[in-house]
Amino acid sequence: MKFINKKTALLFGLALTFFGTAQAQQTPKKKIDGVVAVVGEYVVLDSDIDKTFVELQAQGIDIKNITRCEMFGKLLEDKLYAHQAVQDSIVVTDQEVHDFMNSQLDQMVEQVGSVEKVVKFYNKKNLEEFKTYFFDIVKMNKLTSQMQRKVVDEVEITPEEVRTFFKGIPKEELPVFGAEMEVAQIVIKPKISEAEKQRVINQLKEIKKDVTDNGASFYSKAVLFSDDKASVPTGGFYKITRKTPFVKEFKDVAFSLAEGEISEPFETTYGYHIIYLEKIRGQELDLRHILIIPKVSDEAMKEAKEKIEKIRQRIVSGEIKFADAARATSDDKDTRNSGGILVNPRTLETRFELTKMDPGLYSQVSDLKDNAVSLPFVDSDDKGVKCYKIMTVTNRYDEHTADYAKDYLKIKELALKEKQIKAIAKWTEEKIKETYIKINGEYRDCKFTNNWLKK
């Protein structure tokens, strides 16, 4: 999704592993399958446990220390989340499920070569049977995921709770944080010529004309021409509301269209778009779009390189400080105002732990001495457009035992995770009490962490 605003990754995200499920189907059953549990409106089959073991193996996860009872307990939790999602009116529409399946199917076809091969791989008679089989699986996984997010998103933590958490850690058990560094960058982007911008606008106008005048397929045009790789497999399709975290310019155009209308070409920070509004569903829009990113010329790249070389020379000679040069000249608005200081997308801190640093970034800064400036190098921005960068290391932190003042944000993250785990445990305990749950046969002898048997 190349034109979506940056968002912090959600905790406890779930993903359906299709190929693991497929292999599970091919595992021969040695006993008669049957219902081993009921949670609300959902059932757990004995074969579901076998399938989950094979799914984990397909993902490369070591299962030798996972007992059958533990796996059964995990399935009970998933069913409880899905059941409660329905009770809380969390809605996963059929369209969302179909869109997800179509996207996954497109990716699988790209890997194996044809829809027929995918269907055969899953031991299904045809595409309809394939989609019917996976529909309920995908829907339940999405309900489970959204319910989990709802539980943890409501958990907040105060500075006093962080302090209490830290004081409660025995001195000998304090975490040790690895060596870290802070780094800064200056980015110079090549200029796009007006002629190239007009070429892209004209191309989008021709695409629109072909669709409106000649009945060409917008879906096919998106597959052929769009630079938004995330939506290409679905023909440029997105479902959005006013709250969807897309850039403002995109939403403004989308919500100005009538049903069935195609917009004129318009610009965002990601390039030039046209939008086809398929359906208005109250406050929700079904739309397709095509994004075309203007191309950068060799001459523009040469000019960008010359510019950043001059900036580097001024810094190295002492004429200007790196931070001041970043504020004055960098084309990266996310780091310019902070003097070029990068933020770690994983922790939202300015520090990068060396053992967890992105390999590309590490290769540029690992050998830099204090106050040294890297040579210019070519990189790509978050939109995939090439640019030139120079970097420097602004601070280094040796491996050390956690310190409340120096490592507050890391300690806060640990404290929040602990509070989220406790919130989930409390939520689970309460929902088990009020939900119809029945466990059959030998699984009643399992020793569960949660009170599934309501003893």
Side-chain angles (χ1 to χ4, degrees), residues 217-396:
S217 165
F218 196 98
Y219 180 107
S220 299
K221 296 289 187 182
V223 171
L224 290 171
F225 299 110
S226 184
D227 289 324
D228 177 19
K229 302 305 181 189
S231 69
V232 162
T234 57
F237 182 82
Y238 283 117
K239 185 186 297 290
I240 73 167
T241 68
R242 284 286 186 184
K243 294 182 179 180
T244 302
F246 282 17
V247 291
K248 181 178 182 297
E249 299 90 340
F250 189 93
K251 287 193 289 187
D252 285 348
V253 172
F255 280 92
S256 71
L257 296 174
E259 198 170 282
E261 185 180 1
I262 300 176
S263 74
E264 290 297 319
F266 66 96
E267 184 179 12
T268 71
T269 56
Y270 294 89
Y272 289 86
H273 313 248
I274 53 173
I275 294 175
Y276 167 46
L277 183 58
E278 278 194 347
K279 191 75 175 175
I280 299 174
R281 303 178 186 275
Q283 299 301 310
E284 190 175 68
L285 305 181
D286 289 356
L287 60 82
R288 298 186 187 277
H289 93 118
I290 294 172
L291 166 70
I292 297 181
I293 302 172
K295 302 295 186 292
V296 176
S297 68
D298 292 341
E299 183 62 30
M301 287 296 291
K302 180 181 177 183
E303 290 175 1
K305 183 180 181 182
E306 290 173 352
K307 181 177 180 179
I308 205 166
E309 285 175 338
K310 289 177 182 177
I311 295 169
R312 180 180 184 276
Q313 184 55 44
R314 291 180 65 199
I315 297 169
V316 171
S317 67
E319 180 183 344
I320 188 172
K321 294 181 179 179
F322 192 100
D324 292 334
R327 293 187 185 97
T329 65
S330 182
D331 290 328
D332 182 54
K333 64 180 182 180
D334 292 331
T335 59
R336 182 171 55 218
N337 293 335
S338 64
I341 298 292
L342 286 172
V343 173
N344 188 332
R346 188 177 61 83
T347 64
L348 301 183
E349 292 185 83
T350 57
R351 299 185 193 180
F352 290 81
E353 190 170 342
L354 300 190
T355 58
K356 299 177 181 177
M357 186 179 283
D358 176 80
L361 177 60
Y362 181 79
S363 68
Q364 298 297 336
V365 299
S366 59
D367 295 330
L368 287 180
K369 300 185 183 302
D370 291 342
N371 301 316
V373 181
S374 73
L375 292 171
F377 62 95
V378 177
D379 199 2
S380 296
D381 65 13
D382 58 346
K383 307 169 191 65
V385 178
K386 288 184 178 180
C387 57
Y388 272 98
K389 291 183 180 181
I390 53 175
M391 305 198 76
T392 190
V393 177
T394 58
N395 245 321
R396 300 179 194 272

Side-chain angles (χ1 to χ4, degrees), residues 40-56:
E41 61 189 68
Y42 293 97
V43 300
V44 180
L45 300 176
D46 203 30
S47 61
D48 292 336
I49 303 172
D50 297 315
K51 287 181 181 180
T52 308
F53 271 116
V54 179
E55 287 175 17
L56 293 180

Side-chain angles (χ1 to χ4, degrees), residues 152-166 408-420 422:
V152 299
D153 283 350
E154 293 174 354
V155 179
E156 297 179 344
I157 196 161
T158 66
E160 187 57 37
E161 287 176 310
V162 177
R163 183 183 296 277
T164 301
F165 168 79
F166 184 73
Y408 177 79
L409 290 177
K410 287 187 178 66
I411 295 164
K412 179 182 178 182
E413 182 181 356
L414 294 174
L416 178 60
K417 285 181 179 178
E418 181 183 78
K419 190 174 180 180
Q420 288 172 332
K422 289 180 178 178

